[in-house]
Amino acid sequence: MITVICTVLNEGDHMRRLLDSLVAQTCAPDEVVIVDGGSRDNTVAVLNEYADRLPLRVLVEPGANISAGRNRAIAAAQGDIIAATDAGVVLDREWLKRITAPLLTDPAVEVVAGFFAMDARTVFEAAMGATAFPLVDEVDPETFLPSSRSVAFRKSAWATVGGYPEWLDYCEDLIFDLRLKQTAAPLVFAGDALAYYRPHGDLNSFYKTYQRYARGDGKADLFRKRHAARYLTYLVAIPLIFLLGWRVHRVLWGLYLLGGAVYLRQPYARLGRVLEAAARNGVKLEAADRLYAAALVPVIRVVGDVAKMIGYPQGVRWRREHNPPKWKEI
């Protein structure tokens, strides 16, 4: 039995896209359990509209964060195979079939990682997607950690790792993934099990989201070296190159161009493909639009880095004050 789970909060404007894509699945779920964390909009009313189109159960849990919502949904699920997704995405018609096939055909498989594909509808969204998100052919299946917008696992594996970490409000799926890797059989990558999402449409929402992600990293003690490298780059290397160019020789400022080329190489390598995909979605692309997208890439990269540098120490301070569980040892 397969149960699709999701947790939502104030998603009334976006839920129909997800629910319609669940209705359209070529492999229908046996059950859909959605936990609402106390929405103040019409989310629950929209969910109830689909009660006769999906085997749907809606649980209202005011105050539940994302982890708690997922845990409540999985605990209530009758299926032994759980497929998790998020509000705001649109699932490929074959998503459920592809993400559960390895679990259904091989009893030794415990976790299947699906993927997420950009559904950019503006030039800004395309630039955002190219800057912030990998393409499927960049993924190393051996190291990939799935987003919980597209992942499937056995309910027994969820129980073994103690569920999603309810003490963590962001990056909770990373901790869940890492715990699964510690205790479960090797993860199977299903790159064609696609959940389509729209990238952030403005810098403000992008900044807030990445600040929260970095705060989650700090709370969970994740990616120390990666964050340290970012501080060294912005607070040491960039000022040092400026001083060397000023005091020694202006040619040393050329190191900025070299460093920038390395830092932006991957986003620019993606940009053409992402823009072409956006054009297939009806986005108008003139030469000026392509230049605009190219100009946005470094801006988005810097805004994301600043957000992370501000968010990470907030999380570290929280960890020191609250002494959360040492999840690596659980």
Side-chain angles (χ1 to χ4, degrees):
M1 184 174 182
I2 299 171
T3 300
V4 173
I5 68 102
C6 180
T7 182
V8 298
L9 180 67
N10 297 324
E11 294 284 357
D13 292 339
H14 308 112
M15 282 306 304
R16 288 187 177 87
R17 298 174 72 232
L18 170 63
L19 295 169
D20 286 340
S21 68
L22 278 172
V23 171
Q25 290 296 298
T26 58
C27 171
D30 299 297
E31 180 183 40
V32 178
V33 180
I34 297 180
V35 170
D36 179 86
S39 294
R40 296 179 299 277
D41 64 359
N42 65 334
T43 297
V44 174
V46 171
L47 290 170
N48 288 333
E49 292 175 11
Y50 287 77
D52 60 347
R53 302 170 64 189
L54 288 167
L56 178 64
R57 279 194 290 155
V58 179
L59 309 177
V60 178
E61 298 279 350
N65 64 15
I66 296 173
S67 287
R70 290 199 182 110
N71 285 338
R72 303 297 186 277
I74 297 167
Q78 298 177 31
D80 57 344
I81 293 177
I82 307 296
T85 190
D86 275 341
V89 305
V90 175
L91 303 171
D92 182 88
R93 295 182 72 249
E94 299 281 328
W95 175 78
L96 191 59
K97 177 181 178 180
R98 291 169 176 167
I99 206 166
T100 58
L103 294 161
L104 292 171
T105 57
D106 186 351
V109 173
E110 296 193 31
V111 186
V112 180
F115 199 63
F116 40 89
M118 285 170 274
D119 185 27
R121 298 304 174 106
T122 68
V123 173
F124 186 96
E125 289 178 4
M128 179 67 69
T131 305
F133 300 100
L135 300 176
V136 67
D137 54 14
E138 298 172 18
V139 170
D140 179 356
E142 297 298 319
T143 60
F144 181 64
L145 297 174
S147 163
S148 285
R149 64 166 65 101
S150 184
V151 66
F153 46 85
R154 299 192 189 279
K155 189 173 181 178
S156 57
W158 164 82
T160 297
V161 302
Y164 285 86
E166 297 188 16
W167 53 271
L168 194 57
D169 51 356
Y170 281 86
C171 299
E172 76 294 331
D173 49 359
L174 285 181
I175 300 300
F176 183 66
D177 291 344
L178 291 167
R179 289 289 291 134
L180 285 172
K181 281 204 165 189
Q182 287 176 338
T183 60
L187 177 149
V188 173
F189 181 60
D192 57 355
L194 296 174
Y196 294 95
Y197 70 96
R198 291 188 66 175
H200 293 279
D202 61 86
L203 286 173
N204 185 52
S205 62
F206 172 67
Y207 173 88
K208 289 180 179 178
T209 297
Y210 274 69
Q211 181 184 357
R212 291 165 183 161
Y213 286 162
R215 190 176 67 207
D217 287 351
K219 288 182 176 183
D221 196 13
L222 289 169
F223 309 128
R224 286 187 184 184
K225 292 181 181 179
R226 189 179 302 177
H227 286 283
R230 188 174 294 110
Y231 289 118
L232 287 172
T233 298
Y234 281 87
L235 302 182
V236 178
I238 290 176
L240 181 61
I241 291 171
F242 179 82
L243 288 175
L244 288 173
W246 184 262
R247 296 290 182 86
V248 180
H249 199 288
R250 302 294 189 273
V251 72
L252 291 174
W253 286 342
L255 292 172
Y256 286 135
L257 295 176
L258 178 62
V262 172
Y263 193 51
L264 299 173
R265 177 184 60 82
Q266 196 167 46
Y268 280 129
R270 296 181 192 129
L271 185 59
R273 294 167 62 185
V274 175
L275 285 172
E276 292 308 313
R280 290 193 293 271
N281 282 337
V283 177
K284 183 180 179 182
L285 288 177
E286 304 292 346
D289 298 311
R290 295 179 182 274
L291 288 174
Y292 173 57
L296 282 171
V297 168
V299 175
I300 292 168
R301 201 71 188 258
V302 170
V303 169
D305 286 339
V306 171
K308 292 172 185 176
M309 289 192 292
I310 290 174
Y312 186 72
Q314 294 173 340
V316 171
R317 184 175 66 246
W318 181 93
R319 187 174 77 245
R320 290 175 177 173
E321 292 173 353
H322 293 82
N323 192 29
K326 292 180 173 58
W327 60 268
K328 297 176 184 179
E329 303 171 4
I330 296 174

